[in-house]
Amino acid sequence: DETSGITTITLSSAPANTLSLELLTNLIEKLRDIEKDDSVKGVLVTSKYNGETFISGLNSYDMHNQTDERLAKYWTAVQDIHFTMYSFGKPIVAAINGDAVAGGCAFVLTCDYRVMMKGKRTGLPEAQFGIVAPFFYIDVMKSVIGNRQCELALLEGKIFSTEEAAKVGLVDEAVDLNLVLPNAMKKLQHLVKIPQPAFKLTKQTLRQADIEKFIANRDQNLKTYIQDLTKHSVYVIIRIFFYIVQGFQN
Ligand SMILES: CCCCC/C=C/C(=O)SCCNC(=O)CCNC(=O)[C@H](O)C(C)(C)COP(=O)(O)OP(=O)(O)OC[C@H]1O[C@@H](n2cnc3c(N)ncnc32)[C@H](O)[C@@H]1OP(=O)(O)O
């Protein structure tokens, strides 16, 4: 919208907005363009699958049965989206109109404000898959909900209902579906009116330690990811699909 300076990104990767290499590559490019475009003041992110899924996590197919080169490309994109969103110089608000699990939860945690539809699910279930969540997923959750709540959640791979997520501050508002977009937009319209250099610097200052840690550790994390997936991918993928079919333990 040219008058408000707000851009809406509607994720629409069938069937359930998995964070595939293609989706991530397009999104990173779009966000980098927006960052340079002075006419854009803020970004609202939502999903085409209104009332169903916001993001169903990383794409299982991109993590299984791939060459090391392809795995590296995928994981670099996973790291890049995290870093690009978390260090984004303009306000980003998530209008979470469906489930946002695993990589989907980490994605919304990088935003500045989260409005989520009641009765849906979010959280980092990696422990239920028998794996450790990437350190930058853990760090962003810790910075949003605090160390103790993060321990309670991650040690058991807890999947929160929207209402539970709102109680611990994992999302900022739990609302009926029809209010997700309007409430998210209202918050964003407020955020874009804050003097932008102050907004950007304050955000940078708050997030600087995590960003520096991320930059220092990303190469090692990429190596570890490729080794782990080469060894364990069959097991991990089977667990993920088990939870797609059976649902997560609450
Ligand atoms: C080793 C390093 C990895 C470290 C970090 C990992 C992070 C991750 O993000 S791993 C991926 C974790 N994601 C999940 O476990 C979510 C799995 N999905 C679900 O639990 C559900 O799909 C849902 C709760 C998000 C939505 O449920 P529902 O509305 O009932 O939709 P369906 O389960 O029928 O799913 C529709 C369709 O989408 C396919 N799908 C869903 N998630 C994924 C995925 N992550 N990767 C690939 N495909 C996925 C699902 O199989 C269905 O496909 P069809 O059967 O062909 O319709």
Side-chain angles (χ1 to χ4, degrees), residues 14-19 51-63 74-75 78 98-105 120-121 124-126 129 131-134 137 159 224-225 228-229 232-233 236-237 239-245 247-248:
N17 274 342
T18 57
L19 295 174
E52 293 168 20
T53 309
F54 180 77
I55 293 177
S56 67
L58 302 186
N59 188 302
S60 311
Y61 301 105
D62 278 312
M63 294 190 282
Y74 183 60
W75 199 250
V78 170
D99 293 302
V101 291
C105 173
K120 289 290 171 183
R121 293 160 285 190
L124 296 178
E126 281 79 356
F129 302 155
I131 54 173
V132 183
Y137 284 11
I159 289 291
T224 310
Y225 163 81
D228 283 359
L229 262 197
H232 305 303
S233 81
V236 170
I237 298 312
R239 298 294 289 180
I240 290 172
F241 277 100
F242 173 78
Y243 287 108
I244 289 177
V245 175
F248 295 101

Side-chain angles (χ1 to χ4, degrees), residues 114-226:
R114 291 159 281 282
V115 180
M116 185 166 183
M117 173 189 172
K118 282 181 184 164
K120 289 290 171 183
R121 293 160 285 190
T122 191
L124 296 178
E126 281 79 356
Q128 292 196 42
F129 302 155
I131 54 173
V132 183
F135 77 88
F136 44 98
Y137 284 11
I138 296 178
D139 284 349
V140 71
M141 182 180 267
K142 202 160 70 176
S143 80
V144 173
I145 66 172
N147 198 58
R148 182 60 188 146
Q149 288 301 333
C150 191
E151 273 189 4
L152 288 171
L154 292 191
L155 292 176
E156 60 175 80
K158 183 172 170 60
I159 289 291
F160 295 81
S161 66
T162 308
E163 292 77 358
E164 290 172 325
K167 267 194 198 142
V168 297
L170 193 58
V171 298
D172 299 297
E173 292 182 40
V175 298
D176 290 332
L177 177 59
N178 63 328
L179 290 177
V180 172
L181 265 178
N183 285 20
M185 187 55 89
K186 194 169 159 206
K187 184 67 183 185
L188 187 54
Q189 279 163 347
H190 176 68
L191 288 178
V192 297
K193 287 195 194 117
I194 306 297
Q196 289 308 291
F199 178 92
K200 186 174 171 175
L201 258 176
T202 305
K203 185 165 159 176
Q204 262 174 15
T205 307
L206 283 164
R207 298 184 176 187
Q208 191 170 353
D210 281 346
I211 290 170
E212 281 171 5
K213 180 179 166 193
F214 173 77
I215 293 169
N217 290 287
R218 65 178 299 170
D219 290 349
Q220 183 54 46
N221 171 257
L222 175 62
K223 279 188 203 138
T224 310
Y225 163 81
I226 294 173

Side-chain angles (χ1 to χ4, degrees), residues 54-98:
F54 180 77
I55 293 177
S56 67
L58 302 186
N59 188 302
S60 311
Y61 301 105
D62 278 312
M63 294 190 282
H64 178 53
N65 231 355
Q66 306 285 350
T67 60
D68 282 6
E69 199 187 339
R70 181 62 165 62
L71 285 175
K73 207 170 169 185
Y74 183 60
W75 199 250
T76 302
V78 170
Q79 293 179 330
D80 280 349
I81 194 66
H82 193 87
F83 178 70
T84 306
M85 301 266 301
Y86 199 56
S87 59
F88 202 66
K90 302 176 185 189
I92 312 188
V93 172
I96 312 165
N97 50 351

